[in-house]
Amino acid sequence: MVRVTELGYLGLSVSDPAAWHEYAGSIIGMEIVDEGEPDRTYLRMDNWHHRIVLHEGAVDGVTDDLVYIGWRVPGPVELEQMADQLRAADIAFEVGTDAEAAERRVLGLLKLTDPGGIPTEIFYSPQVDTYKPFHPGRAMYGRFLTGDQGLGHLVLRENDPAAAIRFYRALGLEGATEYKLAMGDMVATPTFMHCNARQHSIAFGFGPMDKRVNHLMIEYTELDDLGLTHDQIRARKVDVTMQLGKHSNDQALTFYAANPSGWLWEPGWGARRLPAQQEHYLRDIFGHDNEVPGYGLDIPLK
Ligand code: MBD
Ligand code: FE
């Protein structure tokens, strides 16, 4: 079986690019790249051409939400094997055109849709601008932890978790529920899936969501960068939905702050690598107290 190796890139549709540049650049530390295109700018986290495309306005009628996810495979042979594997699993896909590959700054891609309706791409060979050192949007002590762990993790809207598990397993991700969270007389059992040493690259099953995405987790190599981001978020009175705390599964120190599109980013530091065997938990280690409600993550993690 061929497996995707990492969460490689994302497309976001945004109604307020200026606010996004302030948030992603001045607060979080990403590099803003404007190549003079009328409808988009790019966010860099390392020496790739970009990790995130900010599409100005609606994409296919969707605004202020996730508009595509790019999963990486090692090379063209694996992309062909992935196509065979999708055919065998009865998952519909299209082969991206040369123009579509060039637009994404990759050499080849497949295009499909996940069970939650999220446009999904599987690609190989991103454009890596080694000549252009990453230049953070604000001073940073360290870097974003990317590389073979991908750009971070996503929590997605999957109204049919069993179908989502089948789909992502067909792409080569593995995982299962990792929490039993008592919510009144219900027990939430969210699923976490991984494809590399990052403890999870996607998760779903936290309850109803308006948007396709609840949050993007990005990770710093240095604790002090998480601290600077936290100070900036607090100074600017950005909504924090869950306060600083440490998850039981990835053991990262994180908090959740609203972005200008009204969903969440989860800046973090210090995650452990994926353990060899599955575990599950009843709560987080400490913190993660709920603060501002209404962002789809009003769950008792502690
Ligand atoms: C996570 O990254 C997360 O976002 C939640 C809600 C629980 C465990 C790990
Ligand atoms: Fe998370």
Side-chain angles (χ1 to χ4, degrees), residues 153-155 192 200 203 206 214-217 247 249-250 254 256 266 297:
H153 76 238
L154 289 169
V155 167
F192 294 76
H200 57 285
F206 290 94
N214 174 269
H215 70 259
L216 167 67
M217 188 267 195
H247 288 305
N249 59 355
D250 61 13
T254 74
Y256 298 74
E266 181 190 9
L297 207 60

Side-chain angles (χ1 to χ4, degrees), residues 174-287:
E174 294 179 71
T177 189
E178 291 182 349
Y179 285 84
K180 290 183 180 176
L181 297 170
M183 301 175 67
D185 48 10
M186 300 247 302
V187 180
T189 54
T191 296
F192 294 76
M193 301 189 79
H194 55 265
C195 53
N196 56 47
R198 189 178 291 282
Q199 198 273 338
H200 57 285
S201 292
I202 50 166
F204 44 84
F206 290 94
M209 291 169 48
D210 295 331
K211 294 182 185 291
R212 290 167 167 170
V213 61
N214 174 269
H215 70 259
L216 167 67
M217 188 267 195
I218 46 104
E219 188 174 346
Y220 297 108
T221 61
E222 300 299 320
L223 174 59
D224 292 351
D225 283 316
L226 183 66
L228 288 188
T229 294
H230 190 260
D231 274 1
Q232 285 288 322
I233 292 282
R234 288 311 197 180
R236 294 169 197 236
K237 307 209 182 314
V238 174
D239 281 359
V240 170
T241 66
M242 260 197 275
Q243 298 169 355
L244 277 168
K246 202 168 166 193
H247 288 305
S248 290
N249 59 355
D250 61 13
Q251 301 189 359
L253 180 67
T254 74
F255 69 102
Y256 298 74
N259 66 42
S261 288
W263 51 282
L264 304 172
W265 275 17
E266 181 190 9
W269 167 83
R272 66 169 168 169
R273 295 166 72 88
L274 181 77
Q277 288 162 303
Q278 190 82 40
E279 300 173 347
H280 80 275
Y281 320 93
L282 303 184
R283 48 160 284 173
D284 271 352
I285 300 170
F286 65 82

Side-chain angles (χ1 to χ4, degrees), residues 57-125:
V59 176
D60 296 330
V62 173
T63 312
D64 283 316
D65 206 343
L66 176 66
V67 291
Y68 50 85
I69 303 176
W71 295 97
R72 188 181 189 179
V73 290
V77 172
E78 289 82 0
L79 197 72
E80 276 179 33
Q81 290 171 347
M82 183 61 78
D84 291 340
Q85 190 164 301
L86 294 172
R87 265 182 224 109
D90 257 334
I91 296 173
F93 68 92
E94 285 173 25
V95 179
T97 63
D98 290 348
E100 287 171 327
E103 183 182 350
R104 295 288 190 262
R105 307 299 201 283
V106 301
L107 292 189
L109 78 163
L110 308 177
K111 299 179 66 172
L112 56 167
T113 307
D114 93 345
I118 301 170
T120 299
E121 300 174 357
I122 303 175
F123 73 95
Y124 78 94
S125 193

